[in-house]
Amino acid sequence: MAGFRSLARQVRDSRCDLALRRYSLRKCLERFAPYGHRATWDHLCSRAGFDPEDRSPDPARLVAALEELEEARSVWLAYEAEFARRRKKEKHDGLRRPGSVDDWHRLTWGGFGVAWCDDPRVHPRAPLAEVLRRLISALEREPGDHCPVCGGERLTWRYDLAHEPSSGPVCVDCGIVVPRPVLTPQALAAARRERRMLVSA
Ligand SMILES: [Zn+2]
């Protein structure tokens, strides 16, 4: 199975067939896709200015989409390396973290679905790297009450998500599943109530 870097080389390779280069970019998303495969593809295409269904996009736009993905990936991998280092030290010092942060990391290691968007057309508009920076700073501070990416206040509980965990608080504004560790117990409870209100409405 080709790794992210060799797939990225294929995307840039002007000797390759354009359809293959596009295919290689899609394969990159199997390695790293913060919103999930389909939503991340939709995001990259709209930011780089080509249609998600376009089989032979402008090569410069294809490379621009790759660059956005690569920048986001380097932001995320640096965070994971730091997290692993800190975790190892804490273990060594006999400290224990609250379980939920570790549980969340186990499900998202490598960066797939860290900001899962269940509807592939609803995702944050900011550059992917910027979205991840906002998410990371939220993971590193005390839990809050808002969406860490767009600051939205309306969170609603959703079930049957096509990703683990299969239920969770979703930001009504930008569409991400908000990682539970970044929310206060009160915000989580409010999101669950919001769900009930929608159901009974
Ligand atoms: Zn949001």
Side-chain angles (χ1 to χ4, degrees):
M1 197 164 74
F4 186 95
R5 282 159 188 263
S6 66
L7 288 165
R9 263 196 302 278
Q10 271 176 24
V11 177
R12 287 199 168 86
D13 190 347
S14 56
R15 293 163 307 176
C16 274
D17 176 61
L18 198 50
L20 177 65
R21 292 172 66 184
R22 176 185 180 275
Y23 177 75
S24 298
L25 181 57
R26 294 213 64 156
K27 294 292 276 185
C28 284
L29 297 181
E30 288 173 17
R31 311 291 180 280
F32 180 74
Y35 304 151
H37 192 143
R38 291 176 64 205
T40 308
W41 178 249
D42 192 80
H43 169 85
L44 292 177
C45 293
S46 67
R47 297 248 326 146
F50 60 93
D51 190 276
E53 299 302 324
D54 185 352
R55 302 280 145 182
S56 50
D58 175 357
R61 292 179 192 271
L62 201 63
V63 171
L66 173 66
E67 282 169 353
E68 178 169 356
L69 187 66
E70 283 177 327
E71 189 194 350
R73 183 170 176 267
S74 65
V75 167
W76 189 255
L77 294 186
Y79 166 70
E80 281 196 344
E82 172 58 22
F83 181 85
R85 193 195 61 74
R86 201 163 51 203
R87 191 73 194 80
K88 201 172 159 195
K89 184 174 182 306
E90 284 171 356
K91 226 172 175 171
H92 180 262
D93 296 345
L95 293 171
R96 276 179 58 86
R97 277 183 162 256
S100 65
V101 177
D102 280 0
D103 288 349
W104 183 79
H105 269 282
R106 256 193 295 280
L107 295 172
T108 55
W109 203 252
F112 192 88
V114 286
W116 181 260
C117 295
D118 214 52
D119 180 342
R121 287 154 308 165
V122 182
H123 42 73
R125 285 183 208 93
L128 210 43
E130 174 56 27
V131 166
L132 293 183
R133 282 191 200 100
R134 291 179 200 169
L135 194 66
I136 288 165
S137 60
L139 284 162
E140 290 177 335
R141 63 173 181 252
E142 292 296 306
D145 292 327
H146 303 324
C147 168
V149 167
C150 74
E153 295 177 8
R154 284 193 63 201
L155 304 172
T156 179
W157 208 265
R158 290 269 312 274
Y159 295 90
D160 298 324
L161 300 168
H163 184 63
E164 280 297 317
S166 64
S167 70
V170 171
C171 173
V172 175
D173 294 315
C174 74
I176 69 160
V177 176
V178 179
R180 292 181 211 193
V182 311
L183 292 172
T184 60
Q186 293 84 344
L188 289 167
R192 289 180 197 269
R193 275 198 303 278
E194 180 80 13
R195 163 69 189 178
R196 277 203 291 276
M197 274 162 58
L198 290 176
V199 167
S200 58

